[in-house]
């Protein structure tokens, strides 16, 4: 009958991240990340901020570290997933947390149709971690422009050090950039 408000607890947010990329190694450091989340009237701001920070770092891992590998050449088993859990791929560690991490809860965003004017929090801030991926992509694009490689380029997630290094086009990367890649 299409009655009621089934999405009353949905939340929104925004994030901006600043990164520094080493174009010779593909390594990067997250200098700062700022987030704003609309949680209505938070029931417990300390818990909500902790949930936001945790989901953000999980999102950073998803978009920059956690590479799924299948059809592994060593096992020679087509369709077999090699990365079956945290023991077989890299997950975020303390060095993957931004040097400055600021979380703000949006003020005055009442949600009167629900209990205590609150909204849900948990997984939604995970996607805010993609701000780090796009900051890395922008840094790679700037490096490419400096080296005379302008225009569109493909940059897939996760933004691993290998992908960052090979995407930062320069004379050294060109030696290894062919259809017959050995990596």
């Amino acid at each position: 009958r299409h009655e009621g408000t089934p999405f009353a607890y949905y939340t929104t947010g925004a994030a901006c991240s600043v990164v520094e990329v080493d174009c010779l190694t593909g390594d990067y450091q997250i200098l700062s990340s700022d987030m704003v989340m609309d949680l209505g009237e938070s029931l417990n701001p300390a818990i909500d901020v902790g949930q936001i920070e945790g989901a953000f770092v999980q999102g950073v891992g998803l978009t920059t570290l956690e590479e799924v590998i299948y059809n592994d050449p060593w096992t020679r088993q087509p369709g077999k997933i090699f990365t079956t859990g945290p023991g077989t791929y890299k997950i975020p560690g303390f060095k993957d947390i931004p040097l400055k991490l600021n979380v703000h809860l949006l003020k005055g965003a009442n949600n009167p149709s629900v209990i205590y004017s609150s909204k849900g929090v948990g997984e939604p801030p995970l996607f805010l971690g993609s701000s780090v991926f796009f900051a890395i992509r922008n840094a790679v694009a700037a490096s490419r422009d400096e080296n005379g490689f302008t225009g569109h380029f493909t940059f897939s997630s996760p933004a691993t050090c290998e992908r960052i290094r090979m995407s930062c086009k320069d004379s050294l990367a060109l030696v290894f950039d062919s259809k017959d890649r050995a990596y």
Side-chain angles (χ1 to χ4, degrees):
R1 295 176 89 212
H2 303 293
E3 293 180 11
T5 53
F7 309 113
Y9 284 97
Y10 274 20
T11 184
T12 57
C16 180
S17 295
V18 177
V19 299
E20 185 175 73
V21 173
D22 183 338
C23 295
L24 291 177
T25 64
D27 197 16
Y28 63 91
Q29 175 72 55
I30 307 169
L31 301 178
S32 67
S33 293
D34 293 276
M35 291 171 276
V36 176
M37 288 293 298
D38 173 6
L39 300 181
E41 291 297 322
S42 175
L43 299 178
N44 189 327
I47 289 176
D48 289 344
V49 166
Q51 287 281 68
I52 293 166
E53 291 171 341
F56 174 81
V57 172
Q58 186 178 3
V60 169
L62 177 68
T63 60
T64 65
L65 299 170
E66 300 171 12
E67 184 172 23
V68 177
I69 299 172
Y70 56 93
N71 292 343
D72 180 49
W74 300 105
T75 61
R76 304 260 189 246
Q77 297 174 342
K80 180 166 177 61
I81 296 178
F82 180 70
T83 47
T84 57
T88 55
Y89 63 84
K90 189 175 178 186
I91 60 174
F94 66 90
K95 292 281 288 176
D96 301 307
I97 297 171
L99 297 176
K100 284 178 51 179
L101 179 59
N102 300 309
V103 177
H104 302 281
L105 303 179
L106 187 65
K107 301 287 184 202
N110 294 335
N111 193 14
S113 61
V114 300
I115 298 170
Y116 296 117
S117 192
S118 66
K119 289 186 179 180
V121 68
E123 289 86 5
L126 178 132
F127 188 70
L128 299 181
S130 67
S131 66
V132 172
F133 171 81
F134 291 111
I136 291 170
R137 187 189 186 288
N138 287 345
V140 168
S143 172
R144 292 171 65 93
D145 286 346
E146 284 179 13
N147 289 308
F149 296 94
T150 58
H152 176 77
F153 67 100
T154 301
F155 190 69
S156 301
S157 178
T160 61
C161 290
E162 295 85 3
R163 285 188 179 147
I164 293 169
R165 172 61 188 113
M166 293 309 292
S167 295
C168 291
K169 291 282 187 192
D170 59 17
S171 59
L172 183 60
L174 286 176
V175 172
F176 297 100
D177 191 22
S178 71
K179 297 284 184 202
D180 302 318
R181 293 185 181 122
Y183 55 92

